Amino acid sequence: MQKHITELREQGFTLIPGFFKRADIQKAMKDIYQLAPTAKELAATPDRYPHILEDTESTKFEFPYAGSHLNHMATHPRILKLVEEILGADDVLLSRSCVWAKYGGTADFDQALHLDYEGNTLVVPREDGDHRQVNAILYYSDVTADLGPTYAVPLKHSKNAGMWPPHRYRAKEPALYKHEQPILAKAGDLLLFSMSTFHRGSGLLDPDGSRYTHHLVYRSAKHAFTGHYLWAHFGEHAPLQRFITETSVAQRSAIGFPKPGHPYWNEATLKAVGERYPGMDMGPYVKGIRRA
Ligand SMILES: O=C(O)CCC(=O)C(=O)O
């Protein structure tokens, strides 16, 4: 894994083949099909999905999900451990999780090269230690050249490009596009890239094709000027209630839930949080108080 961490730092992106096994991907795909159709279903009944034909944003689905496999993937212990290693931090938070279904022959998914930081920090990215944020794309389906690969520009070709503006257009900056590389991926591969890496999604050339991906951002909890979502915002929704009730301590912590031993916990908060999430194992939080 060290080789990938080095490549991410030096090149600005790295593809980790087979990060997840087929079985994990298949489970996640079952959850995705609750949200979005297969390409075949879409072709057979296009009138059921007028939004898909017109709007590239309409097939984006944000965390938390009704399907627990997708929630599990977004906070997967293997990803969290890897991000901890990259940041040198033990307080990694999920900033964003968005599943995206793209279909050939529908809207145009071709994007301009851009940096992702505008929606993820109030300032501009800093690429050292726990200031870094990690962008990831988990591919749930194979991505060939005609299934809308992500393109990324190695950092050495963008060092003079500056940070502002985040979007760069082909007509104005053709040189940047000369160096973009397509990321051809198999289902289960994980692409990591930095907030300073120019990249873009491309159009699906295969009119019958589809592409399913999970777009993730992680950060350290230390810097309140970074982040995309405050997950408490979704606290009234059943999927978040269920996620908190049924998931692990580490995965809960990854959305900002106070860890066992955190000063927030006392007899009163333990009791009341237990009432808010009936069925949740409060044991680790109880033990955390006893140890403190
Ligand atoms: O879908 C992709 O491959 C990249 C998408 C992307 O860069 C974006 O939407 O910001």
Side-chain angles (χ1 to χ4, degrees):
M1 212 39 78
Q2 193 51 49
K3 152 181 135 193
H4 289 290
I5 296 178
T6 305
E7 190 170 57
L8 171 64
R9 194 180 58 242
E10 292 177 354
Q11 184 179 237
F13 62 93
T14 187
L15 182 72
I16 309 177
F19 191 81
F20 286 110
K21 296 201 179 72
R22 285 266 153 191
D24 293 315
I25 299 304
Q26 278 163 0
K27 283 188 209 158
M29 281 307 298
K30 268 195 187 163
D31 283 355
I32 290 179
Y33 288 139
Q34 300 297 317
L35 303 169
T38 63
K40 246 185 173 169
E41 278 167 346
L42 179 62
T45 54
D47 293 345
R48 289 179 67 186
Y49 308 102
H51 54 290
I52 295 185
L53 305 180
E54 287 154 20
D55 179 8
T56 57
E57 299 289 303
S58 70
T59 46
K60 281 183 168 177
F61 306 95
E62 301 280 349
F63 177 94
Y65 304 100
S68 52
H69 296 302
L70 286 177
N71 292 330
H72 183 59
M73 296 307 261
T75 54
H76 199 287
R78 290 188 57 214
I79 304 187
L80 296 176
K81 183 167 171 288
L82 178 56
V83 178
E84 276 182 12
E85 236 176 284
I86 292 167
L87 302 184
D90 62 0
D91 56 359
V92 167
L93 292 181
L94 175 72
S95 263
R96 188 169 189 198
S97 157
C98 171
V99 167
W100 201 352
K102 296 183 181 179
Y103 303 92
T106 64
D108 183 7
F109 291 95
D110 203 44
Q111 296 178 325
L113 281 169
H114 61 276
L115 304 175
D116 274 350
Y117 70 83
E118 257 186 312
N120 292 287
T121 178
L122 296 177
V123 281
V124 296
R126 184 174 150 169
E127 299 296 347
D128 59 295
D130 56 31
H131 283 287
R132 301 174 78 183
Q133 298 189 58
V134 178
N135 278 309
I137 300 180
L138 168 57
Y139 297 94
Y140 286 127
S141 56
D142 294 352
V143 182
T144 56
D146 56 0
L147 288 176
T150 312
Y151 281 78
V153 179
L155 287 177
K156 67 177 176 195
H157 298 298
S158 63
K159 30 178 208 288
N160 299 322
M163 292 280 182
W164 190 262
H167 282 79
R168 307 299 171 93
Y169 297 95
R170 195 186 289 272
K172 234 175 141 187
E173 294 185 51
L176 208 49
Y177 285 77
K178 246 195 253 156
H179 298 293
E180 66 175 12
Q181 297 179 6
I183 312 292
L184 304 181
K186 295 267 180 226
D189 293 358
L190 183 71
L191 174 70
L192 302 181
F193 58 104
S194 79
M195 283 293 168
S196 308
T197 305
F198 282 96
H199 67 283
R200 66 186 187 92
S202 65
L204 275 76
L205 305 178
D206 177 353
D208 303 318
S210 56
R211 193 195 87 153
Y212 299 90
T213 45
H214 203 153
H215 300 249
L216 300 152
V217 183
Y218 302 91
R219 67 181 181 100
S220 159
K222 289 187 191 68
H223 310 297
F225 50 85
T226 63
H228 192 90
Y229 283 119
L230 189 62
W231 297 113
H233 179 72
F234 301 96
E236 290 173 13
H237 299 278
L240 193 65
Q241 301 268 337
R242 201 166 49 249
F243 173 77
I244 288 178
T245 304
E246 70 186 18
T247 198
S248 69
V249 168
Q251 288 178 290
R252 247 176 240 131
S253 304
I255 62 161
F257 199 88
K259 290 182 181 178
H262 190 285
Y264 168 78
W265 294 113
N266 59 28
E267 295 299 336
T269 56
L270 275 174
K271 181 169 176 296
V273 172
E275 283 165 6
R276 177 172 178 179
Y277 302 107
M280 174 175 150
D281 176 11
M282 297 301 294
Y285 303 92
V286 174
K287 276 192 210 132
I289 285 201
R290 290 206 188 113
R291 270 201 303 272

PDB file of all heavy atoms in Angstrom, residues 11-26:
ATOM      1  N   GLN A  11       2.219  12.039  -7.508  1.00  0.00           N
ATOM      2  CA  GLN A  11       1.533  12.218  -8.794  1.00  0.00           C
ATOM      3  C   GLN A  11       0.189  12.926  -8.632  1.00  0.00           C
ATOM      4  O   GLN A  11      -0.349  13.481  -9.572  1.00  0.00           O
ATOM      5  CB  GLN A  11       1.317  10.832  -9.432  1.00  0.00           C
ATOM      6  CG  GLN A  11       0.714  10.891 -10.802  1.00  0.00           C
ATOM      7  CD  GLN A  11       0.523   9.532 -11.434  1.00  0.00           C
ATOM      8  OE1 GLN A  11       1.039   9.290 -12.511  1.00  0.00           O
ATOM      9  NE2 GLN A  11      -0.225   8.657 -10.793  1.00  0.00           N
ATOM     10  N   GLY A  12      -0.362  12.845  -7.398  1.00  0.00           N
ATOM     11  CA  GLY A  12      -1.665  13.466  -7.148  1.00  0.00           C
ATOM     12  C   GLY A  12      -2.821  12.504  -7.272  1.00  0.00           C
ATOM     13  O   GLY A  12      -3.949  12.838  -6.910  1.00  0.00           O
ATOM     14  N   PHE A  13      -2.555  11.296  -7.784  1.00  0.00           N
ATOM     15  CA  PHE A  13      -3.611  10.275  -7.854  1.00  0.00           C
ATOM     16  C   PHE A  13      -2.981   8.888  -7.953  1.00  0.00           C
ATOM     17  O   PHE A  13      -1.830   8.745  -8.361  1.00  0.00           O
ATOM     18  CB  PHE A  13      -4.552  10.516  -9.044  1.00  0.00           C
ATOM     19  CG  PHE A  13      -3.910  10.461 -10.401  1.00  0.00           C
ATOM     20  CD1 PHE A  13      -3.868   9.293 -11.143  1.00  0.00           C
ATOM     21  CD2 PHE A  13      -3.324  11.611 -10.950  1.00  0.00           C
ATOM     22  CE1 PHE A  13      -3.270   9.253 -12.407  1.00  0.00           C
ATOM     23  CE2 PHE A  13      -2.732  11.582 -12.209  1.00  0.00           C
ATOM     24  CZ  PHE A  13      -2.708  10.404 -12.936  1.00  0.00           C
ATOM     25  N   THR A  14      -3.756   7.906  -7.538  1.00  0.00           N
ATOM     26  CA  THR A  14      -3.291   6.518  -7.631  1.00  0.00           C
ATOM     27  C   THR A  14      -4.506   5.606  -7.710  1.00  0.00           C
ATOM     28  O   THR A  14      -5.518   5.867  -7.047  1.00  0.00           O
ATOM     29  CB  THR A  14      -2.394   6.153  -6.421  1.00  0.00           C
ATOM     30  OG1 THR A  14      -1.819   4.854  -6.628  1.00  0.00           O
ATOM     31  CG2 THR A  14      -3.159   6.139  -5.104  1.00  0.00           C
ATOM     32  N   LEU A  15      -4.410   4.574  -8.522  1.00  0.00           N
ATOM     33  CA  LEU A  15      -5.508   3.597  -8.631  1.00  0.00           C
ATOM     34  C   LEU A  15      -5.076   2.323  -7.913  1.00  0.00           C
ATOM     35  O   LEU A  15      -4.027   1.757  -8.240  1.00  0.00           O
ATOM     36  CB  LEU A  15      -5.817   3.290 -10.105  1.00  0.00           C
ATOM     37  CG  LEU A  15      -6.980   2.320 -10.307  1.00  0.00           C
ATOM     38  CD1 LEU A  15      -8.324   2.983  -9.981  1.00  0.00           C
ATOM     39  CD2 LEU A  15      -7.013   1.779 -11.737  1.00  0.00           C
ATOM     40  N   ILE A  16      -5.883   1.887  -6.950  1.00  0.00           N
ATOM     41  CA  ILE A  16      -5.557   0.661  -6.225  1.00  0.00           C
ATOM     42  C   ILE A  16      -6.453  -0.451  -6.765  1.00  0.00           C
ATOM     43  O   ILE A  16      -7.663  -0.474  -6.507  1.00  0.00           O
ATOM     44  CB  ILE A  16      -5.793   0.823  -4.702  1.00  0.00           C
ATOM     45  CG1 ILE A  16      -5.098   2.098  -4.200  1.00  0.00           C
ATOM     46  CG2 ILE A  16      -5.287  -0.396  -3.956  1.00  0.00           C
ATOM     47  CD1 ILE A  16      -5.314   2.389  -2.735  1.00  0.00           C
ATOM     48  N   PRO A  17      -5.864  -1.344  -7.573  1.00  0.00           N
ATOM     49  CA  PRO A  17      -6.690  -2.389  -8.183  1.00  0.00           C
ATOM     50  C   PRO A  17      -7.211  -3.360  -7.129  1.00  0.00           C
ATOM     51  O   PRO A  17      -6.500  -3.677  -6.172  1.00  0.00           O
ATOM     52  CB  PRO A  17      -5.719  -3.118  -9.135  1.00  0.00           C
ATOM     53  CG  PRO A  17      -4.476  -2.295  -9.190  1.00  0.00           C
ATOM     54  CD  PRO A  17      -4.437  -1.466  -7.941  1.00  0.00           C
ATOM     55  N   GLY A  18      -8.432  -3.817  -7.323  1.00  0.00           N
ATOM     56  CA  GLY A  18      -9.015  -4.852  -6.459  1.00  0.00           C
ATOM     57  C   GLY A  18      -9.031  -4.495  -4.979  1.00  0.00           C
ATOM     58  O   GLY A  18      -8.859  -5.377  -4.141  1.00  0.00           O
ATOM     59  N   PHE A  19      -9.262  -3.241  -4.653  1.00  0.00           N
ATOM     60  CA  PHE A  19      -9.293  -2.849  -3.235  1.00  0.00           C
ATOM     61  C   PHE A  19     -10.447  -3.577  -2.527  1.00  0.00           C
ATOM     62  O   PHE A  19     -10.324  -3.968  -1.379  1.00  0.00           O
ATOM     63  CB  PHE A  19      -9.469  -1.333  -3.107  1.00  0.00           C
ATOM     64  CG  PHE A  19      -9.243  -0.831  -1.704  1.00  0.00           C
ATOM     65  CD1 PHE A  19      -7.954  -0.609  -1.234  1.00  0.00           C
ATOM     66  CD2 PHE A  19     -10.308  -0.587  -0.846  1.00  0.00           C
ATOM     67  CE1 PHE A  19      -7.737  -0.152   0.069  1.00  0.00           C
ATOM     68  CE2 PHE A  19     -10.097  -0.137   0.453  1.00  0.00           C
ATOM     69  CZ  PHE A  19      -8.806   0.082   0.903  1.00  0.00           C
ATOM     70  N   PHE A  20     -11.550  -3.738  -3.252  1.00  0.00           N
ATOM     71  CA  PHE A  20     -12.664  -4.515  -2.693  1.00  0.00           C
ATOM     72  C   PHE A  20     -12.912  -5.754  -3.543  1.00  0.00           C
ATOM     73  O   PHE A  20     -12.713  -5.742  -4.764  1.00  0.00           O
ATOM     74  CB  PHE A  20     -13.939  -3.665  -2.645  1.00  0.00           C
ATOM     75  CG  PHE A  20     -13.904  -2.641  -1.544  1.00  0.00           C
ATOM     76  CD1 PHE A  20     -13.785  -1.293  -1.840  1.00  0.00           C
ATOM     77  CD2 PHE A  20     -13.955  -3.023  -0.217  1.00  0.00           C
ATOM     78  CE1 PHE A  20     -13.732  -0.342  -0.824  1.00  0.00           C
ATOM     79  CE2 PHE A  20     -13.897  -2.085   0.808  1.00  0.00           C
ATOM     80  CZ  PHE A  20     -13.779  -0.749   0.512  1.00  0.00           C
ATOM     81  N   LYS A  21     -13.374  -6.795  -2.854  1.00  0.00           N
ATOM     82  CA  LYS A  21     -13.659  -8.066  -3.533  1.00  0.00           C
ATOM     83  C   LYS A  21     -15.015  -7.985  -4.242  1.00  0.00           C
ATOM     84  O   LYS A  21     -15.875  -7.189  -3.880  1.00  0.00           O
ATOM     85  CB  LYS A  21     -13.734  -9.191  -2.499  1.00  0.00           C
ATOM     86  CG  LYS A  21     -12.423  -9.446  -1.775  1.00  0.00           C
ATOM     87  CD  LYS A  21     -12.457 -10.868  -1.200  1.00  0.00           C
ATOM     88  CE  LYS A  21     -11.166 -11.183  -0.494  1.00  0.00           C
ATOM     89  NZ  LYS A  21     -11.017 -10.469   0.778  1.00  0.00           N
ATOM     90  N   ARG A  22     -15.160  -8.886  -5.216  1.00  0.00           N
ATOM     91  CA  ARG A  22     -16.420  -8.964  -5.997  1.00  0.00           C
ATOM     92  C   ARG A  22     -17.646  -9.052  -5.082  1.00  0.00           C
ATOM     93  O   ARG A  22     -18.670  -8.415  -5.333  1.00  0.00           O
ATOM     94  CB  ARG A  22     -16.408 -10.195  -6.907  1.00  0.00           C
ATOM     95  CG  ARG A  22     -15.521 -10.033  -8.116  1.00  0.00           C
ATOM     96  CD  ARG A  22     -16.323  -9.538  -9.327  1.00  0.00           C
ATOM     97  NE  ARG A  22     -15.381  -8.796 -10.206  1.00  0.00           N
ATOM     98  CZ  ARG A  22     -15.730  -8.048 -11.225  1.00  0.00           C
ATOM     99  NH1 ARG A  22     -16.988  -7.882 -11.539  1.00  0.00           N
ATOM    100  NH2 ARG A  22     -14.841  -7.409 -11.953  1.00  0.00           N
ATOM    101  N   ALA A  23     -17.507  -9.857  -3.992  1.00  0.00           N
ATOM    102  CA  ALA A  23     -18.664 -10.070  -3.107  1.00  0.00           C
ATOM    103  C   ALA A  23     -19.120  -8.752  -2.485  1.00  0.00           C
ATOM    104  O   ALA A  23     -20.330  -8.490  -2.388  1.00  0.00           O
ATOM    105  CB  ALA A  23     -18.311 -11.079  -2.028  1.00  0.00           C
ATOM    106  N   ASP A  24     -18.156  -7.905  -2.083  1.00  0.00           N
ATOM    107  CA  ASP A  24     -18.518  -6.597  -1.496  1.00  0.00           C
ATOM    108  C   ASP A  24     -19.235  -5.747  -2.533  1.00  0.00           C
ATOM    109  O   ASP A  24     -20.200  -5.039  -2.241  1.00  0.00           O
ATOM    110  CB  ASP A  24     -17.251  -5.838  -1.052  1.00  0.00           C
ATOM    111  CG  ASP A  24     -16.567  -6.524   0.116  1.00  0.00           C
ATOM    112  OD1 ASP A  24     -17.275  -6.911   1.052  1.00  0.00           O
ATOM    113  OD2 ASP A  24     -15.327  -6.659   0.075  1.00  0.00           O
ATOM    114  N   ILE A  25     -18.690  -5.786  -3.758  1.00  0.00           N
ATOM    115  CA  ILE A  25     -19.253  -4.959  -4.833  1.00  0.00           C
ATOM    116  C   ILE A  25     -20.672  -5.403  -5.166  1.00  0.00           C
ATOM    117  O   ILE A  25     -21.571  -4.587  -5.364  1.00  0.00           O
ATOM    118  CB  ILE A  25     -18.336  -5.044  -6.091  1.00  0.00           C
ATOM    119  CG1 ILE A  25     -16.941  -4.509  -5.763  1.00  0.00           C
ATOM    120  CG2 ILE A  25     -18.937  -4.334  -7.291  1.00  0.00           C
ATOM    121  CD1 ILE A  25     -16.907  -3.099  -5.211  1.00  0.00           C
ATOM    122  N   GLN A  26     -20.848  -6.732  -5.183  1.00  0.00           N
ATOM    123  CA  GLN A  26     -22.188  -7.242  -5.528  1.00  0.00           C
ATOM    124  C   GLN A  26     -23.223  -6.817  -4.489  1.00  0.00           C
ATOM    125  O   GLN A  26     -24.345  -6.439  -4.821  1.00  0.00           O
ATOM    126  CB  GLN A  26     -22.157  -8.772  -5.653  1.00  0.00           C
ATOM    127  CG  GLN A  26     -21.639  -9.188  -7.023  1.00  0.00           C
ATOM    128  CD  GLN A  26     -21.201 -10.638  -7.065  1.00  0.00           C
ATOM    129  OE1 GLN A  26     -21.270 -11.353  -6.074  1.00  0.00           O
ATOM    130  NE2 GLN A  26     -20.727 -11.064  -8.224  1.00  0.00           N
TER     131      GLN A  26
END
